[in-house]
Amino acid sequence: MIFAARYGWQESNAPLHFHYVAPSFWAWKGGEARLKSLANFVDHILCILPNEEAVCKLNGLDATFVGHPVLEDIVEFNLGKQASPHDLKIEGNSEDFRRKYALSPGAAVISLLPGSRLQEVIRMLSIFSHAFDQLKDSIPELITVIHVASNQHVENYIDGVMHKWPVPAILIPGGHQHLKYDAFSASTIALCTSGTVAMELQLARLPCVVAYRAHILTEWYIQYKAKIPYISLPNILTDSAIIPEALFQACTPTNLASLLMKLMHNKRLQEEQIVAAENVTKLLFPSERIINLEEQVEWKFPNFTPSMIASSTILSHVKS
């Protein structure tokens, strides 16, 4: 929740209430009822997905689509470059990464993103380990690049299990953005636990498989309450299963190994994901709002970020 003092005289002395990130009403049965309750104490919602603004307004909430926070990465990597929201992506340096870690030209690199929370990583990394154990004899020179979240407990856990990892591995510490995208560029595909990382892989145009397991009660609740068939945001935004998902009881080492093998050796499937990623990236940009801002100030895209658009939205309301 963001609070902003009112500019000038108003009927009420209470601050304006801005809510950053709308509830995921589109994912859950009865989700729009939450919007109606928010209208009682929220003045404005700053939405990060393109479909949310219109639905919020239909439910009595003033709202603005400001763009997804992951786009901040794009701006960082494209500062000073001429670009448009329709072709932006993040290109790391594959050659530097391979040289840095002495990877052979024939090395088959798969990026692995097991999650950011300790319990999640413990649960998923065990499944991933068994999946790669099944893959190691089928993919020559298989290398895993494991992206470690900036969480000391996660770092300690992953360090402690690496001696049992079935294939050679490179650990990428959290917080090193350029190194992360260099690793993505050097990878053929990725395997990730469902989360924001799936959007980062879209920016890198790296084909992937998404996996998810939780406590049995959590899985039951999700299956009972969810009203959409997908869990990864790219699939949700495109309303298609372009990214393979292995969820709940289907998230087994054998299923993951099969999905990874299929994606690794099928250029058509990889290209389909890359094309879809371009479309997803376009959806994340509030293009019309950027055009309006460019008419008001001297800055040009890609210098506009979701945080800047959100700030502009707040300031315009405070001063109105």
Side-chain angles (χ1 to χ4, degrees), residues 32-42 59 61:
E32 289 190 28
R34 293 185 64 191
L35 296 180
K36 290 183 172 62
S37 64
L38 273 179
N40 295 324
F41 61 91
V42 171
N59 285 273
L61 275 163

Side-chain angles (χ1 to χ4, degrees), residues 9 13 55 67 75 77 84 113-114 120 125 131-132 140 152 190 211-212 217 236 243 251 316:
W9 182 86
N13 290 322
V55 178
V75 175
F77 275 77
S84 81
L113 301 99
E120 175 182 65
L125 203 60
F132 279 96
Q152 190 62 54
Y212 186 73
L217 293 178
I236 293 169
I243 295 176
C251 183
S316 66

Side-chain angles (χ1 to χ4, degrees), residues 29-310:
K29 297 171 184 175
E32 289 190 28
R34 293 185 64 191
L35 296 180
K36 290 183 172 62
S37 64
L38 273 179
N40 295 324
F41 61 91
V42 171
D43 292 287
H44 200 100
I45 290 188
L46 304 171
C47 304
I48 65 171
L49 298 178
N51 62 315
E52 295 174 333
E53 180 179 324
V55 178
C56 285
K57 289 179 177 178
L58 286 174
N59 285 273
L61 275 163
D62 200 9
T64 300
F65 171 44
V66 299
H68 196 284
V70 76
L71 300 181
E72 306 279 343
D73 286 355
I74 290 185
V75 175
E76 176 185 341
F77 275 77
N78 288 281
L79 282 176
K81 299 179 182 178
Q82 293 296 321
S84 81
H86 301 296
D87 61 10
L88 278 182
K89 60 181 179 180
I90 297 178
E91 294 185 76
N93 194 316
S94 173
E95 292 183 4
D96 277 2
F97 186 85
R98 285 179 171 270
R99 184 165 49 249
K100 178 181 177 70
Y101 292 98
L103 300 180
S104 71
V109 182
I110 298 180
S111 271
L112 183 64
L113 301 99
S116 58
R117 299 183 299 275
L118 180 60
Q119 289 305 314
E120 175 182 65
V121 171
I122 291 172
R123 182 180 295 112
M124 299 306 298
L125 203 60
S126 174
I127 299 171
F128 291 171
S129 174
H130 287 94
F132 279 96
D133 189 47
Q134 295 183 29
L135 285 174
K136 65 183 180 182
D137 294 327
S138 302
I139 302 178
E141 296 188 72
L142 177 59
I143 304 287
T144 51
V145 176
I146 303 177
H147 298 259
V148 183
S150 299
N151 178 321
Q152 190 62 54
H153 298 295
V154 169
E155 293 172 10
N156 293 342
Y157 175 77
I158 292 179
D159 285 341
V161 300
M162 279 298 97
H163 69 283
K164 297 185 293 185
W165 195 252
V167 298
I170 298 169
L171 301 185
I172 304 298
H176 294 72
Q177 290 291 84
H178 282 80
L179 183 58
K180 174 175 67 178
Y181 282 99
D182 286 350
F184 287 165
S185 182
S187 302
T188 303
I189 61 173
L191 170 62
C192 70
T193 298
S194 179
T196 303
V197 292
M199 300 306 298
E200 294 176 350
L201 296 172
Q202 296 285 287
L203 302 186
R205 305 296 194 263
L206 180 59
C208 66
V209 172
V210 171
Y212 186 73
R213 284 237 64 169
H215 188 279
I216 187 64
L217 293 178
T218 301
E219 293 184 355
W220 176 86
Y221 179 82
I222 292 172
Q223 291 173 310
Y224 176 73
K225 291 288 290 183
K227 65 178 183 181
I228 54 177
Y230 311 117
I231 198 167
S232 63
L233 196 51
N235 284 353
I236 293 169
L237 288 172
T238 58
D239 193 25
S240 64
I242 191 69
I243 295 176
E245 296 182 349
L247 311 178
F248 310 137
Q249 290 83 1
C251 183
T252 65
T254 299
N255 282 346
L256 288 177
S258 176
L259 290 171
L260 290 169
M261 180 70 76
K262 185 177 180 180
L263 184 59
M264 189 79 174
H265 295 294
N266 192 319
K267 297 297 183 183
R268 180 184 60 82
L269 292 179
Q270 293 176 24
E271 185 60 29
E272 286 178 357
Q273 284 205 36
I274 291 170
V275 171
E278 294 172 359
N279 294 328
V280 168
T281 304
K282 292 177 186 178
L283 292 173
L284 296 178
F285 282 96
S287 301
E288 293 182 4
R289 190 151 285 113
I290 289 172
I291 292 171
N292 292 335
L293 283 173
E294 287 181 340
E295 292 173 350
Q296 299 172 32
V297 298
E298 295 181 358
W299 292 335
K300 294 293 181 183
F301 191 86
N303 294 321
F304 287 111
T305 65
S307 58
M308 290 172 63
I309 298 171

